[in-house]
Amino acid sequence: MVGVYHTKLKEIREYAKSENIPIMQEEGIDYLTTFIISHQIKSVLEIGTAIGYSAIMMALCYPKITITSIERDEKRYLEAVRNVKKFGLENRIQLLFRDALDVKISDKYDMIFIDAAKGQNTNFFKKFESNLNDHGFIITDNMYFHGYLQKDESEIKSKNLRALVRKIRDYHTFLANNTEFSTKIYQVGDGIAVSEKK
Ligand code: SAM
């Protein structure tokens, strides 16, 4: 399925690289799409569309899936709209140009994929956990935050970066102490957390 779209996908990856837009790396995407297929995930809420790459990959890997994806940056959102059209996936990918922390969503999903501002992960989790179907999954990317999480704080020179790393550490603690979910963190790509609703 993905094979026939090879050139168009490559164009998206190259655009992301040239514009410095962070998109999921190959290992992470492979993990995510395999997870979707093996758990027969039929609906996804994605926080952080960027230019639509991960949403398109998720839609291509499983024809039964529908995705709602939220992006607050207008330029990226518009590029995502163009990309989704290029793949003819408008009927399965709904894009919302909003700040995820302001949006009200009442639908329920089999999976919520958090891939937006890393310092807000706990807030995203708390805001959207009620949008999860029973036994659904919340997946969070960049749990190791480009390797910074394994570093000692004294090694991180920038004050802002140190604050961000602290917030991601707090998110690890929040997940570990959350009794309503069971979380496993996988050493895939930049670290992926899979939190299953009990
Ligand atoms: N999931 C995308 C992919 O792999 O193709 C990459 C998403 S990128 C890592 C994170 C995106 O989240 C950025 O484009 C950023 O503008 C967006 N973002 C950050 N905070 C957000 C928020 N509060 N609401 C909506 N979008 C947000």
Side-chain angles (χ1 to χ4, degrees):
M1 177 68 141
V2 175
V4 293
Y5 296 116
H6 183 79
T7 310
K8 282 192 239 175
L9 289 169
K10 196 168 163 230
E11 276 167 17
I12 299 183
R13 282 195 296 268
E14 282 171 359
Y15 176 89
K17 199 171 178 194
S18 68
E19 297 285 319
N20 272 323
I21 297 167
I23 60 169
M24 257 201 136
Q25 295 307 298
E26 204 177 329
E27 221 187 322
I29 283 284
D30 282 351
Y31 181 85
L32 198 64
T33 50
T34 306
F35 185 92
I36 284 170
I37 296 165
S38 60
H39 292 84
Q40 303 192 358
I41 302 289
K42 292 189 183 64
S43 53
V44 175
L45 175 65
E46 178 182 58
I47 320 298
T49 317
I51 55 173
Y53 181 67
S54 52
I56 289 168
M57 290 301 283
M58 289 191 273
L60 291 180
C61 82
Y62 193 49
K64 288 184 189 159
I65 211 171
T66 56
I67 297 151
T68 298
S69 185
I70 311 172
E71 174 58 54
R72 69 176 173 188
D73 179 292
E74 188 170 17
K75 193 172 172 220
R76 291 181 183 180
Y77 159 78
L78 291 172
E79 190 61 30
V81 170
R82 277 190 284 276
N83 285 331
V84 166
K85 264 199 194 128
K86 276 187 205 163
F87 286 81
L89 289 169
E90 304 96 308
N91 54 344
R92 292 200 290 127
I93 301 179
Q94 181 194 18
L95 298 172
L96 302 179
F97 170 44
R98 295 293 299 276
D99 189 311
L101 291 172
D102 296 334
V103 76
K104 276 206 179 79
I105 290 188
S106 53
D107 288 344
K108 299 226 178 205
Y109 301 85
D110 292 343
M111 184 179 121
I112 296 173
F113 175 44
I114 301 177
D115 190 21
K118 304 303 160 194
Q120 299 289 344
N121 281 347
T122 307
N123 291 332
F124 293 135
F125 193 107
K126 286 182 180 165
K127 181 174 163 98
F128 293 109
E129 60 178 315
S130 60
N131 294 99
L132 206 55
N133 283 325
D134 287 346
H135 304 293
F137 300 92
I138 298 185
I139 301 219
T140 315
D141 192 25
N142 303 111
M143 291 301 291
Y144 299 140
F145 195 51
H146 315 294
Y148 281 108
L149 238 74
Q150 286 107 326
K151 287 191 182 174
D152 193 86
E153 269 198 22
S154 61
E155 287 178 72
I156 306 169
K157 299 283 168 268
S158 150
K159 199 177 159 193
N160 288 345
L161 198 55
R162 268 202 310 274
L164 189 50
V165 169
R166 223 168 279 154
K167 280 191 177 173
I168 300 171
R169 278 194 216 286
D170 290 346
Y171 184 57
H172 277 256
T173 310
F174 164 78
L175 291 179
N177 294 339
N178 192 325
T179 52
E180 284 161 44
F181 285 80
S182 110
T183 296
K184 285 193 183 126
I185 296 174
Y186 294 94
Q187 302 215 349
V188 174
D190 196 22
I192 290 184
V194 178
S195 308
E196 182 172 7
K197 197 171 173 180
K198 288 182 186 166

